[in-house]
Amino acid sequence: MAASIAAAEPRLALGDGESLTYRVGWGLLTGAGEIKIAAAAVPPSAADATARLQVTTTTATKGFTHAFYTFEARAEALFDVKTGRLVSGTETSKAPKKETKTSIEFDYAKSVATYANLLNPAKNLTLPLPPGDPLDLIMSLVQTRTWDLKPGEKRDALVLFDDEFYELTLHAIGYEDVKTPLGKFKTLVLEPRMEKTPAKGMFKRGSTARVWISQDEKKLPVKFQVEFKFGAGVATLVAHTPPISPASPSLPTTTREKTGSDAPNPRP
């Protein structure tokens, strides 16, 4: 895994000013929640001139679902633009019976990560950093838009969940047409699997996940799906703001417009 990741040129999956908004459905509830991922450049300072990009992911229940189950979460991830690596992150969440507030900082030179549980400092840890470039599950799936997999191919990723790292192998399943409010897309379907380590978290409980990446020049992750034994949650892309400047040469965007073969005319 380390060799395959090291051989790949590190690239950020999002550019300054880019955002992705998803409508989350659960069963018959098509508007059960919303996920928004937004990237913004961090201005350099006198103390640190390194170019940084902050990616903020917010998740919340909506509508009828929010009335009987209130959930809100916010994750902020800071990336080094030059290396594409995650530098630090914070995450908070609030549900009826649980609240979390954590942070993590990475020292790649020393191969360690410093994890802090801000609500329970007794759980603070210094973690050995495995080979690779860690991301949370959502950002790991978004990152696949910078890959160039074909059906039948696969690639490894290092995923961070709370204070644990685990390896996922993402398989390119095949092509599929997907309709969204932004239009119809030809997509590549990717499925993450835990094949190299004992299953953890939702994978241990038999859950599966998939992401659909559009096969146009923007490579948008137009749909996510997580399937549990008692149902499936589906996140569908409903809005996309292109970056002010491209995140990488492979993601050219020069106009702020809705995308897709059936999309409305671009905004002026």
Side-chain angles (χ1 to χ4, degrees):
M1 182 192 74
S4 65
I5 292 179
E9 179 186 356
R11 294 182 298 179
L12 290 172
L14 297 167
D16 178 24
E18 187 169 15
S19 67
L20 303 163
T21 302
Y22 295 87
R23 180 184 62 221
V24 179
W26 185 270
L28 298 177
L29 300 173
T30 58
E34 180 183 271
I35 299 172
K36 185 170 183 178
I37 306 169
V42 178
S45 65
D48 186 3
T50 306
R52 308 286 197 193
L53 185 77
Q54 180 170 293
V55 177
T56 302
T57 302
T58 55
T59 307
T61 52
K62 297 288 184 180
F64 177 76
T65 304
H66 185 77
F68 68 86
Y69 183 77
T70 302
F71 176 81
E72 296 178 348
R74 180 183 180 92
E76 295 181 350
L78 189 65
F79 291 88
D80 184 316
V81 172
K82 183 177 180 180
T83 65
R85 280 180 157 176
L86 179 61
V87 176
S88 63
T90 62
E91 187 169 338
T92 61
S93 69
K94 190 172 184 180
K97 295 183 179 181
K98 186 176 181 180
E99 185 175 354
T100 66
K101 190 174 184 180
T102 63
S103 69
I104 192 165
E105 295 186 4
F106 298 89
D107 188 330
Y108 293 97
K110 295 181 180 179
S111 295
V112 295
T114 303
Y115 170 85
N117 187 316
L118 304 180
L119 298 180
N120 188 355
K123 294 185 177 182
N124 293 355
L125 295 169
T126 298
L127 305 168
L129 189 58
D133 297 330
L135 296 169
D136 65 33
L137 180 59
I138 289 181
M139 284 306 300
S140 293
L141 297 179
V142 172
Q143 186 68 29
T144 62
R145 70 188 296 217
T146 68
W147 299 357
D148 188 26
L149 294 183
K150 301 294 187 294
E153 297 178 344
K154 60 184 180 180
R155 181 168 165 178
D156 295 319
L158 180 64
V159 178
L160 169 67
F161 178 74
D162 197 27
D163 61 352
E164 286 189 292
F165 298 99
Y166 58 92
E167 298 173 45
L168 285 180
T169 301
L170 288 107
H171 292 256
I173 305 301
Y175 297 114
E176 186 175 314
D177 289 337
V178 173
K179 287 185 177 180
T180 78
L182 300 186
K184 182 178 179 181
F185 297 86
K186 177 185 177 182
T187 70
L188 177 66
V189 186
L190 298 172
E191 182 177 290
R193 303 172 188 169
M194 292 195 72
E195 298 178 336
K196 298 188 176 182
T197 59
K200 297 180 181 180
M202 68 177 198
F203 296 98
K204 186 176 182 179
R205 296 189 291 271
S207 300
T208 60
R210 284 190 170 187
V211 59
W212 285 255
I213 304 296
S214 70
Q215 296 302 287
D216 53 16
E217 72 281 0
K218 291 182 174 63
K219 300 288 185 180
L220 292 173
V222 297
K223 188 170 78 168
F224 299 100
Q225 178 175 293
V226 179
E227 188 168 346
F228 302 94
K229 291 182 179 179
F230 49 85
V234 179
T236 304
L237 186 67
V238 296
H240 172 238
T241 301
I244 297 170
S245 58
S248 73
S250 66
L251 299 175
T253 305
T254 56
T255 59
R256 291 176 173 271
E257 61 182 33
K258 293 186 177 181
T259 57
S261 60
D262 299 330
N265 291 331
R267 299 191 301 271

